[in-house]
Amino acid sequence: MKVSKDDQEGWLTVCFKYLLFGFNFLFWVGGAAVLGVGVWTLVEKSDYLSLLASSTFAASAYILVVAGSLVVATGYLGCCAVIREHRSCLSLYFFCLLLIFTIELVAGVLAYVYYQRVSEELKQHLNLTMAENYAQPGKEDITLAVDRLQQDFKCCGSNNSGDWLRSRFVTSAQAEGRVVPDSCCKTSTPLCGRRDHPSNIYKVEGGCISKLERFLADHLLVIGAVGIGVASLQICGMVFTSCLYRRIKMETF
């Protein structure tokens, strides 16, 4: 039994519609992943952002949040465009995919670039930040961030506990005889920082720099992988959208 040319073309259009529907499902899943990673990065360890010299890490996460939010709206637009077979809707959907593709690619590239220099930034900046700003007036956010950093990662000082001996906090009357902040203690209690014996405080090789560097590197790898991975998925969507647009245009004329 011969299949007419019109039937073949109609079958191709249906195929592209189903492919685009399938893509939309993956698109929403990918968008949820993008949004989740962005929110997780900003909420879970947001206190540490004040310890970084640049805003690249936060910018990458915010970009993912924006991109993930756009995916939700764009996925709905894609379903409407496929069901109604409106070329104008398909065109808008294509450009939305292109916009999100660009945004996620930027987030991935930013994360990758920052990953290459995060170690150097921490070495240059974290020690100075902790020594100069801890427990100083108007620097409450940094004080809280350092305390949480030392407690969460079980570390003391940027490189080692001896770094605190040169800090403005320890050399001031405010320290009340402490040689390290109380957050260095394995069991944090008021004035426990007066005793810096290994049985009382954390003595970690590499200090907090190595711990924070590993944490940021892991997060940046996830941000980069998710951003670039979902951006690659958009290419498939743009191809399917273009093909369906052309099929509908051919059938119209």
Side-chain angles (χ1 to χ4, degrees):
M1 181 179 175
K2 275 192 171 183
V3 180
S4 68
K5 186 176 179 183
D6 287 343
D7 287 340
Q8 286 180 336
E9 291 179 350
W11 179 81
L12 282 172
T13 302
V14 170
C15 276
F16 284 127
K17 286 177 70 173
Y18 277 113
L19 283 171
L20 201 49
F21 264 123
F23 164 76
N24 255 324
F25 174 74
L26 294 176
F27 188 45
W28 269 324
V29 172
V34 166
L35 184 60
V37 168
V39 171
W40 168 62
T41 301
L42 293 173
V43 173
E44 181 68 12
K45 303 294 184 182
S46 60
D47 288 346
Y48 302 149
L49 299 180
S50 61
L51 300 178
L52 305 178
S54 71
S55 58
T56 309
F57 181 75
S60 300
Y62 278 119
I63 289 172
L64 288 188
V65 170
V66 171
S69 301
L70 285 174
V71 165
V72 176
T74 303
Y76 176 75
L77 174 64
C79 287
C80 292
V82 172
I83 292 170
R84 297 181 181 180
E85 296 187 6
H86 284 177
R87 284 185 293 156
S88 57
C89 283
L90 284 171
S91 297
L92 180 59
Y93 180 59
F94 177 87
F95 285 111
C96 284
L97 287 179
L98 184 60
L99 174 64
I100 296 170
F101 169 82
T102 305
I103 290 173
E104 289 174 346
L105 196 61
V106 168
V109 170
L110 274 178
Y112 177 77
V113 169
Y114 189 58
Y115 176 80
Q116 303 299 310
R117 58 187 180 85
V118 66
S119 176
E120 193 58 36
E121 177 184 310
L122 287 177
K123 287 174 184 175
Q124 292 178 355
H125 184 73
L126 188 60
N127 189 24
L128 183 64
T129 298
M130 293 171 76
E132 295 294 321
N133 298 319
Y134 183 83
Q136 300 306 305
K139 301 294 182 180
E140 290 78 10
D141 57 335
I142 291 178
T143 302
L144 288 172
V146 171
D147 284 338
R148 186 177 177 187
L149 174 67
Q150 296 191 140
Q151 282 292 299
D152 285 357
F153 291 127
K154 297 177 171 46
C155 59
C156 183
S158 53
N159 294 292
N160 55 64
S161 60
D163 292 335
W164 285 111
L165 296 175
R166 298 179 293 277
S167 69
R168 292 177 66 183
F169 168 67
V170 167
T171 55
S172 68
Q174 182 186 2
E176 298 182 77
R178 294 180 183 89
V179 288
V180 294
D182 294 338
S183 57
C184 279
C185 300
K186 294 177 180 178
T187 303
S188 183
T189 56
L191 300 179
C192 66
R194 288 175 172 177
R195 181 168 168 265
D196 63 351
H197 191 272
S199 63
N200 183 49
I201 69 168
Y202 296 114
K203 294 276 190 178
V204 180
E205 187 177 346
C208 292
I209 284 180
S210 61
K211 294 278 190 173
L212 186 56
E213 180 185 348
R214 195 174 305 119
F215 164 81
L216 290 175
D218 290 344
H219 272 62
L220 288 167
L221 283 176
V222 172
I223 290 173
V226 169
I228 294 174
V230 177
S232 302
L233 180 65
Q234 253 97 287
I235 296 174
C236 298
M238 287 186 280
V239 171
F240 295 149
T241 304
S242 298
C243 291
L244 181 58
Y245 180 90
R246 289 168 60 190
R247 297 305 311 169
I248 293 172
K249 186 176 180 180
M250 288 171 61
E251 290 174 3
T252 303
F253 295 101

